[in-house]
Amino acid sequence: MVGIIIASHGEFANGILQSGSMIFGEQENVKAVTLKPSEGPDDIKGKLEAAIASFENQDEILFLVDLWGGTPFNQVNNLFEAHKDKWAIVAGLNLPMLIEAYASRMSMDNARDIAAHIQETAIEGVKVRPEELQKKAPSTKSKNAGAAAGKPGKLEYVLARIDSRLLHGQVATGWTKATNPTRIIVVSDSVAKDELRTTMIKQAAPSGVKAHVVPIDQMIKLSKDDKHFGGQRALLLFETPQDALRAIEGGVPLKTLNVGSMSHSVGKVQPNKVLAFDQDDIDTFAKLKSDGVTFDVRKVPTDSKDDMDEILKKAETQLQKQK
């Protein structure tokens, strides 16, 4: 696996490393190197050399640096000269760039290829409101969302997820990179009636992917359409397990549900950090299981899977204690 070193002035490298872990999960072979106000070039050079030495494979290293021409970049560049046939440097670090680098390591095994690939994502990550101020950048990704639209065939479901936060960073980056959908579809009667939430969801879609918000009955109809969705890969988001059950029993052909987040509210118990249940939720999961649905309990693709049966048992025990 390609090693990644994040280098910056101040604590930026540590902060963006933490942000990337929150969204894409903890990563191996990644180090943050910082230049503190009281330090100089030799200090950060020593830190860079120590970070490099910590990698088992030192042949393929990608350096993500905050500022071209700054001290962190200059010290990286000095080290790079002896390895420029293998190593690569990208300056102008932002969070979309880092997440794309993480995702790219899954399929690319050399630093130079990853460096070339992540530049477009970094540029497209810069967005402006009001929209008329946004400068249009050339993009090849934007062609993907409309590819094969209108061709005969049904939707292919690459992921169906229960997440009370719906379309947020972990979905827009980690899960989108892992499943490569052409469309993200939020399936919810309540959100479909909320113009503001619908607008925000559409604006949060990652580059090259179209986002939609549809009522549950409309999703059931779309799932039966075999004339217009050939080649379309759908990532479905449900706000609650009840919405997912209604869609599945209405005919949406889902065999697995990824369970990512269920927010806490009055009357619910929380058997782990991200999932909260009341009795109706527990009963709904039992019904889904009886319908042949399996559960993939993970926040991000790199997490290990949790046991849904054990989680539900803990929730039932906690609810009994509340009575």
Side-chain angles (χ1 to χ4, degrees), residues 100 115-125 137-142 207:
E100 187 68 28
H117 175 72
I118 64 178
Q119 294 174 59
E120 183 179 3
T121 298
I123 293 168
E124 291 181 346
S139 173
T140 56
K141 291 184 180 180
S142 61
S207 177

Side-chain angles (χ1 to χ4, degrees), residues 15-59:
I16 200 168
L17 175 62
Q18 183 184 58
S19 298
S21 297
M22 288 176 64
I23 292 171
F24 207 80
E26 295 294 332
Q27 296 291 305
E28 296 181 353
N29 298 312
V30 179
K31 295 290 183 181
V33 174
T34 62
L35 174 65
K36 297 180 179 178
S38 60
E39 296 177 331
D42 289 342
D43 296 299
I44 193 166
K45 179 182 178 183
K47 293 179 183 181
L48 287 165
E49 289 173 337
I52 293 166
S54 72
F55 292 154
E56 201 168 303
N57 176 15
Q58 298 169 21
D59 290 334

Side-chain angles (χ1 to χ4, degrees), residues 37-187:
S38 60
E39 296 177 331
D42 289 342
D43 296 299
I44 193 166
K45 179 182 178 183
K47 293 179 183 181
L48 287 165
E49 289 173 337
I52 293 166
S54 72
F55 292 154
E56 201 168 303
N57 176 15
Q58 298 169 21
D59 290 334
E60 296 288 346
I61 300 179
L62 174 65
F63 296 87
L64 302 179
V65 187
D66 60 349
L67 184 66
W68 184 277
T71 298
F73 170 84
N74 291 337
Q75 293 307 309
V76 167
N77 200 38
N78 289 339
L79 297 169
F80 166 78
E81 284 300 318
H83 304 271
K84 54 188 176 183
D85 59 327
K86 293 278 191 178
W87 293 2
I89 309 169
V90 183
L93 173 64
N94 62 17
L95 189 53
M97 177 199 294
L98 178 61
I99 293 166
E100 187 68 28
Y102 286 168
S104 299
R105 293 197 302 171
M106 296 178 180
S107 58
M108 300 180 184
D109 57 9
N110 74 74
R112 291 162 63 96
D113 285 350
I114 296 174
H117 175 72
I118 64 178
Q119 294 174 59
E120 183 179 3
T121 298
I123 293 168
E124 291 181 346
V126 179
K127 297 187 182 296
V128 181
R129 294 202 71 192
E131 288 80 359
E132 59 265 25
L133 301 179
Q134 180 81 36
K135 291 186 178 181
K136 300 293 183 183
S139 173
T140 56
K141 291 184 180 180
S142 61
K143 298 175 184 178
N144 296 337
K151 290 186 177 181
K154 290 187 174 183
L155 282 169
E156 175 187 355
Y157 302 97
V158 296
L159 183 76
R161 177 176 172 92
I162 296 171
D163 192 330
S164 56
R165 296 177 293 170
L166 295 172
L167 181 49
H168 57 94
Q170 292 171 351
V171 175
T173 53
W175 285 108
T176 298
K177 300 299 181 189
T179 59
N180 193 29
T182 57
R183 300 175 186 270
I184 295 174
I185 305 176
V186 171
V187 186

Side-chain angles (χ1 to χ4, degrees), residues 138-320:
S139 173
T140 56
K141 291 184 180 180
S142 61
K143 298 175 184 178
N144 296 337
K151 290 186 177 181
K154 290 187 174 183
L155 282 169
E156 175 187 355
Y157 302 97
V158 296
L159 183 76
R161 177 176 172 92
I162 296 171
D163 192 330
S164 56
R165 296 177 293 170
L166 295 172
L167 181 49
H168 57 94
Q170 292 171 351
V171 175
T173 53
W175 285 108
T176 298
K177 300 299 181 189
T179 59
N180 193 29
T182 57
R183 300 175 186 270
I184 295 174
I185 305 176
V186 171
V187 186
S188 168
D189 290 349
S190 61
V191 179
K193 295 174 184 176
D194 189 326
E195 186 175 344
L196 177 59
R197 289 185 75 188
T198 296
T199 299
M200 291 177 67
I201 285 167
K202 289 180 179 179
Q203 290 175 344
S207 177
V209 182
K210 289 185 177 180
H212 312 268
V213 179
V214 300
I216 297 169
D217 286 345
Q218 179 66 14
M219 187 65 236
I220 293 169
K221 291 179 183 178
L222 293 174
S223 71
K224 297 173 182 177
D225 186 328
D226 60 1
K227 297 179 180 177
H228 302 102
F229 294 107
Q232 293 297 297
R233 297 164 54 84
L235 188 161
L236 303 190
L237 294 174
F238 297 97
E239 197 169 19
T240 68
Q242 290 79 10
D243 285 353
L245 176 63
R246 185 174 148 202
I248 290 168
E249 293 194 332
V252 181
L254 303 175
K255 297 300 182 184
T256 300
L257 284 172
N258 169 241
V259 185
S261 171
M262 291 174 59
S263 61
H264 188 271
S265 59
V266 176
K268 291 198 174 190
V269 296
Q270 196 163 348
N272 69 12
K273 292 181 179 179
V274 295
L275 300 179
F277 304 84
D278 58 20
Q279 190 59 53
D280 184 36
D281 295 325
I282 292 172
D283 294 343
T284 299
F285 278 109
K287 186 67 174 69
L288 285 163
K289 184 176 180 179
S290 71
D291 288 341
V293 177
T294 59
F295 306 113
D296 172 12
V297 186
R298 287 184 290 171
K299 290 189 297 181
V300 294
T302 52
D303 283 348
S304 58
K305 296 181 182 181
D306 289 332
D307 187 324
M308 192 61 172
D309 288 337
E310 289 300 317
I311 292 170
L312 290 171
K313 285 178 184 177
K314 288 180 182 178
E316 284 188 299
T317 300
Q318 291 174 354
L319 283 171
Q320 289 297 323

